[in-house]
């Protein structure tokens, strides 16, 4: 069964209240299985050099006292856990977890016919003031230093309350002193992506990416991932994995929170042919050399995660899913 838990609190952790003084949430679908409020969200999590905007989330069926209070929820903390609970035979409740966490940037109420909804634009990073973020990101790299060490110092100083996870190639070394001041993470992410391509000039290399999610900043590329990838099981796929670029692919799963940008995954085998295959490619028109093989397999690095949710929509293929984009891991060189 589908599951979500939506919670809204102030910066001190106290629950939000509406205009009548009633507590707003938490909204937990497990408290009323089969009759929870309808929510919709579309959360794209990818490199800050690509997208740095917030996530849109809506909850329907709330009382008018919550709608009139919408403008006063700006700056509040919002957390959303989602996934599946026990019940269906192929469901893994361990894959449920936190998918959205951030500050409410723009709350607003909406009426469409008889539908009333409370809507939020959620920013994964702290809200910016008129001078940019509270502490600018300052780089003070020296010639010959590893880029990972430079970023570790800079991001730790700018985001002391965040967890840092940096996993990039040791071949990324500064050819000259690297100094700079960046008021936003997106500016730094775009610069580092460009410079990493210059440092490692390879068709297989996809560059350094930075992602901020759930008070964690991950900096990664496709050359430093571990050897052990997370195994994707055949029953966890919706449709076939598909190539979308020379080294990039996409696949879709039922909504899950356990795979993040920067994780390495391993595609399952025997997707197409064979006694246990999901699809049969066995016709007289199919090439014999491909009848017992799969579209592709191997290990990939997740570069983009998109959670799409429409809680009461019965479409099991599109309404409660996570769509991933991943790139092939670069070959390791001596």
């Amino acid at each position: 069964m589908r599951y979500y838990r939506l919670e809204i609190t102030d910066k001190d952790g106290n629950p939000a209240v509406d205009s009548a003084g009633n507590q707003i949430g938490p909204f937990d679908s497990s408290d009323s299985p089969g009759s929870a409020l309808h929510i919709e969200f579309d959360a794209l999590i990818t490199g800050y050099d690509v997208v740095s905007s917030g996530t849109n989330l809506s909850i329907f069926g709330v009382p008018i006292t919550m709608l009139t209070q919408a403008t006063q929820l700006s700056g509040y903390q919002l957390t959303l856990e989602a996934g599946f609970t026990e019940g269906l035979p192929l469901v893994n409740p361990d894959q449920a977890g936190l998918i959205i966490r951030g500050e409410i940037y723009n709350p607003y109420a909406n009426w469409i016919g008889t539908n009333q909804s409370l809507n939020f634009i959620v920013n994964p990073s702290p809200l910016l003031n008129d001078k940019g973020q509270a502490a600018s990101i300052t780089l003070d790299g020296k010639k010959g230093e590893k880029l990972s060490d430079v970023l570790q110092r800079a991001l730790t100083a700018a985001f002391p309350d965040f967890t840092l996870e940096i996993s990039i190639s040791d071949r990324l070394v500064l050819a000259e002193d690297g100094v700079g001041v960046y008021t936003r993470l997106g500016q730094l992410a775009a610069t580092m992506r460009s410079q990493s391509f210059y440092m490692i000039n390879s068709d297989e290399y996809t560059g350094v990416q930075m992602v901020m999610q759930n008070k964690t900043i991950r900096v990664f590329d496709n050359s430093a991932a571990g050897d052990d990838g997370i195994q994707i099981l055949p029953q966890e796929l919706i449709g076939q994995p598909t190539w979308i670029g020379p080294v990039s692919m996409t696949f879709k799963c039922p909504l899950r929170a356990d795979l993040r940008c920067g994780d390495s995954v391993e595609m399952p085998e025997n997707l197409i042919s064979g006694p246990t295959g999901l699809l049969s490619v066995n016709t007289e028109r199919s090439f014999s050399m491909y009848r017992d093989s799969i579209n592709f397999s191997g290990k990939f690095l997740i570069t983009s995660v998109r959670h799409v949710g429409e809680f009461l929509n019965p479409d099991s293929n599109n309404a409660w899913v996570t769509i991933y984009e991943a790139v092939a891991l670069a070959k390791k060189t001596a």
Side-chain angles (χ1 to χ4, degrees):
M1 183 174 291
R2 296 174 182 177
Y3 158 79
Y4 75 83
R5 176 182 171 85
L6 175 64
E7 188 171 4
I8 303 172
T9 60
D10 61 19
K11 293 185 178 181
D12 297 324
N14 301 313
V17 295
D18 62 16
S19 58
N22 300 316
Q23 180 174 317
I24 300 177
F27 305 97
D28 194 328
S29 65
S30 60
D31 292 339
S32 53
S35 60
L37 295 180
H38 179 59
I39 67 169
E40 296 180 358
F41 55 85
D42 190 341
L44 175 61
I45 304 155
T46 187
Y48 254 64
D49 60 293
V50 179
V51 174
S52 58
S53 59
T55 292
N56 184 49
L57 184 147
S58 304
I59 182 166
F60 296 77
V62 295
I64 190 67
T65 53
M66 292 186 186
L67 302 181
T68 57
Q69 192 74 1
T71 55
Q72 298 187 27
L73 293 177
S74 179
Y76 275 62
Q77 304 289 323
L78 182 146
T79 59
L80 175 65
E81 298 178 6
F84 290 84
T85 57
E86 294 182 355
L88 299 176
L90 298 180
V91 163
N92 185 355
D94 293 335
Q95 295 175 351
L98 189 65
I99 63 170
I100 300 173
R101 179 178 181 179
E103 292 190 25
I104 297 174
Y105 175 70
N106 182 24
Y108 62 95
N110 197 16
W111 287 264
I112 301 178
T114 58
N115 292 324
Q116 298 178 164
S117 63
L118 183 58
N119 308 270
F120 306 102
I121 303 298
V122 183
N123 191 0
S125 63
L127 294 177
L128 304 177
N129 54 35
D130 56 354
K131 298 180 181 178
Q133 59 197 40
S136 297
I137 307 170
T138 302
L139 296 186
D140 59 349
K142 304 299 181 183
K143 179 180 179 179
E145 260 193 301
K146 293 181 181 179
L147 183 60
S148 58
D149 296 334
V150 177
L151 292 176
Q152 181 76 38
R153 289 198 307 270
L155 294 175
T156 299
F159 301 95
D161 297 330
F162 281 64
T163 300
L164 296 181
E165 298 179 4
I166 300 179
S167 178
I168 59 178
S169 174
D170 289 337
R171 296 167 58 196
L172 296 172
V173 178
L174 299 184
E176 59 184 7
D177 290 351
V179 296
V181 177
Y182 302 88
T183 58
R184 302 186 184 219
L185 187 63
Q187 298 171 344
L188 176 63
T191 301
M192 292 300 103
R193 185 87 182 272
S194 176
Q195 289 188 2
S196 63
F197 282 127
Y198 175 78
M199 296 177 186
I200 300 180
N201 187 7
S202 170
D203 292 338
E204 297 179 343
Y205 188 61
T206 59
V208 170
Q209 289 185 266
M210 297 184 184
V211 174
M212 178 182 289
Q213 183 185 16
N214 306 336
K215 299 216 71 170
T216 298
I217 300 176
R218 302 194 89 180
V219 184
F220 60 91
D221 60 19
N222 69 326
S223 66
D227 294 331
D228 296 329
I230 300 173
Q231 182 68 54
I232 303 298
L233 302 178
Q235 65 268 24
E236 294 175 340
L237 290 173
I238 298 176
Q240 283 281 358
T242 305
W243 288 111
I244 56 176
V247 295
S248 58
M249 51 83 80
T250 181
F251 63 98
K252 184 193 295 186
C253 297
L255 197 144
R256 57 190 296 178
D258 60 325
L259 297 180
R260 303 179 297 163
C261 290
D263 286 343
S264 58
V265 296
E266 185 171 1
M267 289 292 104
E269 298 182 356
N270 299 325
L271 281 181
I272 294 183
S273 297
T276 60
L278 296 183
L279 298 177
S280 175
V281 182
N282 226 4
T283 67
E284 59 184 10
R285 295 181 179 86
S286 63
F287 294 101
S288 60
M289 71 283 290
Y290 295 135
R291 289 178 183 173
D292 295 320
S293 64
I294 63 172
N295 281 352
F296 56 86
S297 59
K299 296 179 181 179
F300 296 82
L301 182 79
I302 294 176
T303 58
S304 173
V305 178
R306 182 184 177 192
H307 301 292
V308 179
E310 295 182 30
F311 185 70
L312 296 182
N313 187 336
D315 185 354
S316 59
N317 294 325
N318 300 292
W320 202 253
V321 298
T322 303
I323 304 166
Y324 298 96
E325 291 185 10
V327 295
L329 294 179
K331 295 180 181 178
K332 295 185 177 182
T333 58

